[in-house]
Amino acid sequence: MNAVVGVQTPAQRVGRGARSALLLVSALIFLIPFYLLVRNSLASSPEIAGLDFTFWPAKPEWANFSAAFHNDQIPFGRSLLNSIVVSAVQTFLTVLLSAAAGYGLARIPYRYAGFITGMVLATLMVPAAVTFLPTFVVVSSLGWVSDLRGLIIPGLFVALPVFLFRQQFLDFPKDLEDAGRIDGLGYPGVFFRVVLPNSGSFVAAVAAITFLGSWNAFLWPLVIAQEPSSWTIQVALSAFNNSQSTNFPVLFAASAIAVVPVLVIFLGLQRFIRQGYETSGTTG
Amino acid sequence: MTTEGAVAPSRSSPVSAPAASRRIGPWRRLAGTQNRNVWFWVFVGPFLLGLLVFVYVPIGWSVYLSFFDAHNTVTPTDFVGLANYSAMLSDPAFLSSLGTFAIFAVVIVPLTFALSLALALAVNRSRAFAAFYRSAFFLPTACSYVVASLIFKMSIFNGLPSGMANWILSLFGNDTGVPWLAVADPPWYWLVLVMLRLWLQAGFYMILFLAGLQRIPDVLYEAAAIDGAKPGWQTFRYITFPQLRASSVAIGVLLLINAFQAFDEFYNTLSNFGTYPPYARPPLVYLYYTALGKEQNLGLGSAGAIILAVLIAIVTVLQLRFLRTGRSAS
């Protein structure tokens, strides 16, 4: 009651202060791993694995970053490039394919649309991790092992974004579409020039989530990218971690290169990503 | 609505129906009014084709493979019936991987649920810096399990005095430290795996809970206050938590499915120089080594994948039913 009126007893004020302090401490604890990542990437080997805990390297070793690119065993630069290509292409094609499919299912009347929607949604029930083996069987018989096609293409056909777009387009104002039709646009015209441009933040949400998932994916790239030339960044970091002669500060510099840009983009697009997760989390 | 299209013109005037169907040629009938059927397939076809090739065909193929002796081949000829299934179900390693999943799920699902709900409640109430707190808890979601494993393995739980966990223990007078990942008994590795996943995913579920909290109408809280409900536990117990039921059910199911799919952090914290210890192998790690290791036994692996798919479906349905009956009872 008091809180509603805005008057606080001293006890409530203490409680509020304790809660704020607890919240601040928890937030700082959540940030510790990021601090360690940055510290390690600038440290020297003894500072990471020595006898004492080091708060901050005595002399930041910026050379760790360039050393990450000049590693004989781990093709880090190539892996980074592969990841950029795979994630960008996968994001673009996922948005295009699933927005088109979602639009078709939501807005183009067709006798079997209900049945096809059911076919798409049924695959939501099958965890992707259970199908990695069967999909590997198909992809390997297509000859796409250690090939960027094998990394990109099978990941495009996920039901969730189609479902999200379908829900989104079911609510799209019919008047806007009709206005486009009166201007002489057919289905593709309405889709590309009216529907997509007016669903910008939703497209951004799906794109951001797809990119993040693609960038951080590990199991599928591990299975399919067997030659080092086709490794993604996560596979390369994992191999780095598992190789006998690892220079750990360099490994962490490589990890920081893989993570920090994504974190920055993530913070920038946070609003869209949250929206996307909210809709996908409660429906999917 | 879906039966419009080809049928629509004849429906408007039943008398002229035969005439109309004679006028509409086979192509027009196929293409539909305004070529709708054609456009439907232009829009949906590419995705559907991919779904068939990369989801439906693989599932069918792997059902087929599971009945064959398929070492190193995807076109086997040696039919073995249910032998792969019985081999899988009597393999102690497979059964222990199910046990590993069960232990992991029993710990991680409630812990993540409680922590993310607590974070959501705290962030939702905090007036100052709510955006900062939300970002701080949400940020780990953007980190990959591979990098998180590296950090936890090498800098927090490395078992050396320079590792953060042992350094904190030394501040409390424990100078011997704990060999976190290096030993199987006591199973300290569980603590590492649970902390890691908790750190990485709590913020994600916090976002889902926050969305649920914001959908609760203020009127309910005002009414409760007038009825004399004390802010805090009473309000949470009788207003907030019941109102969050939809979010809670969805989050419970998501948490379980994600725990079932755990692979990345197990593989990256526990395997050393290409060998994985015989313990703490969740189902996917087991499957990975069985089907793609030295043996390349795809028949056995397929049988395992199908058993797992069926199991997770059963568990999900049971969980949903359990949570739904909870609702009808209350």
Side-chain angles (χ1 to χ4, degrees):
Chain A
M1 274 295 269
N2 282 335
V4 175
V5 201
V7 183
Q8 290 184 344
T9 64
Q12 277 175 331
R13 221 170 292 160
V14 170
R16 177 171 294 260
R19 262 205 312 276
S20 311
L22 193 66
L23 199 57
L24 182 66
V25 171
S26 321
L28 293 179
I29 290 175
F30 265 72
L31 294 175
I32 285 175
F34 293 119
Y35 145 71
L36 290 173
L37 174 66
V38 175
R39 181 202 73 169
N40 290 357
S41 68
L42 294 171
S44 63
S45 285
E47 282 172 322
I48 290 187
L51 281 181
D52 289 312
F53 182 78
T54 312
F55 281 99
W56 195 249
K59 191 173 82 54
E61 293 273 359
W62 294 99
N64 291 338
F65 286 92
S66 56
F69 290 95
H70 302 289
N71 188 293
D72 297 337
Q73 282 117 33
I74 312 289
F76 180 71
R78 176 67 190 267
S79 307
L80 191 64
L81 187 68
N82 285 342
S83 266
I84 292 172
V85 171
V86 167
S87 303
V89 173
Q90 209 164 40
T91 304
F92 176 76
L93 290 179
T94 298
V95 169
L96 187 70
L97 281 170
S98 50
Y103 181 75
L105 292 174
R107 282 303 173 88
I108 305 180
Y110 179 58
R111 189 195 290 248
Y112 304 108
F115 172 74
I116 291 168
T117 307
M119 253 184 82
V120 173
L121 293 191
T123 66
L124 272 179
M125 302 293 147
V126 187
V130 170
T131 57
F132 85 88
L133 198 59
T135 311
F136 173 76
V137 169
V138 167
V139 170
S140 69
S141 51
L142 288 170
W144 288 356
V145 173
S146 295
D147 188 310
L148 289 192
R149 283 173 299 183
L151 282 167
I152 295 171
I153 296 173
L156 299 176
F157 305 102
V158 181
L160 187 61
V162 175
F163 177 67
L164 295 178
F165 274 119
R166 175 178 168 271
Q167 296 306 96
Q168 174 74 5
F169 294 148
L170 280 175
D171 295 337
F172 192 86
K174 272 232 154 67
D175 300 353
L176 275 178
E177 275 185 299
D178 290 342
R181 265 204 201 100
I182 289 165
D183 290 345
L185 296 175
Y187 279 110
V190 168
F191 176 67
F192 282 109
R193 296 170 64 180
V194 179
V195 175
L196 272 190
N198 282 296
S199 311
S201 76
F202 198 79
V203 169
V206 175
I209 291 172
T210 309
F211 187 90
L212 202 60
S214 176
W215 186 263
N216 288 338
F218 179 64
L219 178 56
W220 180 250
L222 179 72
V223 167
I224 209 73
Q226 297 179 349
E227 296 294 324
S229 62
S230 59
W231 281 353
T232 64
I233 185 114
Q234 309 296 342
V235 178
L237 291 174
S238 177
F240 226 141
N241 180 19
N242 264 321
S243 87
Q244 215 103 37
S245 55
T246 294
N247 177 326
F248 283 104
V250 174
L251 171 57
F252 279 101
S255 306
I257 296 170
V259 166
V260 173
V262 178
L263 293 185
V264 173
I265 299 172
F266 184 81
L267 281 181
L269 294 177
Q270 209 195 126
R271 193 165 58 86
F272 300 118
I273 296 173
R274 277 207 316 268
Q275 279 172 357
Y277 281 154
E278 283 161 14
T279 26
S280 64
T282 43
T283 50
Chain B
M1 185 181 132
T2 49
T3 49
E4 273 177 322
V7 203
S10 56
R11 196 203 281 151
S12 53
S13 51
V15 185
S16 65
S21 60
R22 220 178 301 131
R23 241 185 297 119
I24 300 171
W27 164 247
R28 290 262 11 110
R29 183 182 286 275
L30 215 60
T33 328
Q34 299 168 336
N35 290 333
R36 272 178 188 163
N37 298 355
V38 174
W39 284 122
F40 180 88
W41 282 106
V42 169
F43 275 83
V44 182
F47 180 85
L48 207 62
L49 183 70
L51 196 71
L52 284 177
V53 174
F54 293 105
V55 181
Y56 278 96
V57 168
I59 292 173
W61 198 332
S62 111
V63 170
Y64 172 79
L65 281 178
S66 71
F67 296 113
F68 285 84
D69 178 18
H71 277 83
N72 265 317
T73 175
V74 293
T75 49
T77 50
D78 192 0
F79 183 80
V80 295
L82 291 171
N84 284 326
Y85 288 92
S86 60
M88 215 56 183
L89 287 172
S90 58
D91 179 359
F94 181 70
L95 298 176
S96 101
S97 83
L98 295 179
T100 301
F101 157 65
I103 296 172
F104 190 52
V106 162
V107 178
I108 197 72
V109 172
L111 266 184
T112 315
F113 188 95
L115 178 66
S116 51
L117 177 57
L119 292 177
L121 290 169
V123 168
N124 200 38
R125 287 185 64 148
S126 82
R127 296 189 187 158
F129 312 118
F132 164 75
Y133 291 131
R134 199 178 47 204
S135 302
F137 298 130
F138 191 36
L139 199 56
T141 308
C143 186
S144 72
Y145 274 103
V146 176
V147 172
S149 304
L150 270 179
I151 299 169
F152 276 65
K153 180 185 184 181
M154 298 307 306
S155 289
I156 302 180
F157 296 106
N158 65 2
L160 299 173
S162 60
M164 195 145 190
N166 281 355
W167 173 67
I168 291 171
L169 285 178
S170 76
L171 296 182
F172 291 98
N174 177 341
D175 285 328
T176 46
V178 172
W180 304 103
L181 291 163
V183 292
D185 188 38
W188 292 113
Y189 56 85
W190 276 125
L191 189 99
V192 180
L193 293 164
V194 166
M195 295 275 274
L196 192 158
R197 183 165 278 248
L198 209 50
W199 174 73
L200 205 141
Q201 68 175 6
F204 171 76
Y205 295 102
M206 173 198 75
I207 293 296
L208 300 189
F209 271 127
L210 270 174
L213 284 174
Q214 271 143 24
R215 279 194 295 267
I216 303 177
D218 284 339
V219 198
L220 286 180
Y221 290 106
E222 287 157 19
I226 290 166
D227 287 348
K230 295 191 190 71
W233 174 249
Q234 273 193 344
T235 315
F236 175 77
R237 168 73 181 75
Y238 293 102
I239 309 288
T240 312
F241 197 61
Q243 287 289 316
L244 282 177
R245 176 163 285 279
S247 307
S248 301
V249 170
I251 288 169
V253 171
L254 277 177
L255 274 170
L256 191 74
I257 291 178
N258 286 339
F260 176 75
Q261 307 208 46
F263 176 85
D264 300 8
E265 79 268 43
F266 281 82
Y267 181 89
N268 283 295
T269 51
L270 291 173
S271 80
N272 250 324
F273 310 127
T275 56
Y276 195 96
Y279 54 87
R281 293 185 169 202
L284 284 193
V285 171
Y286 172 79
L287 214 54
Y288 173 78
Y289 283 106
T290 304
L292 302 168
K294 280 190 213 90
E295 298 251 309
Q296 288 258 345
N297 193 338
L298 292 171
L300 204 57
S302 299
I306 289 161
I307 294 171
L308 292 178
V310 170
L311 272 180
I312 192 68
I314 292 171
V315 172
T316 310
V317 167
L318 283 181
Q319 194 188 16
L320 276 174
R321 181 153 298 173
F322 175 72
L323 293 166
R324 291 238 168 90
T325 46
R327 172 171 54 190
S328 56
S330 66

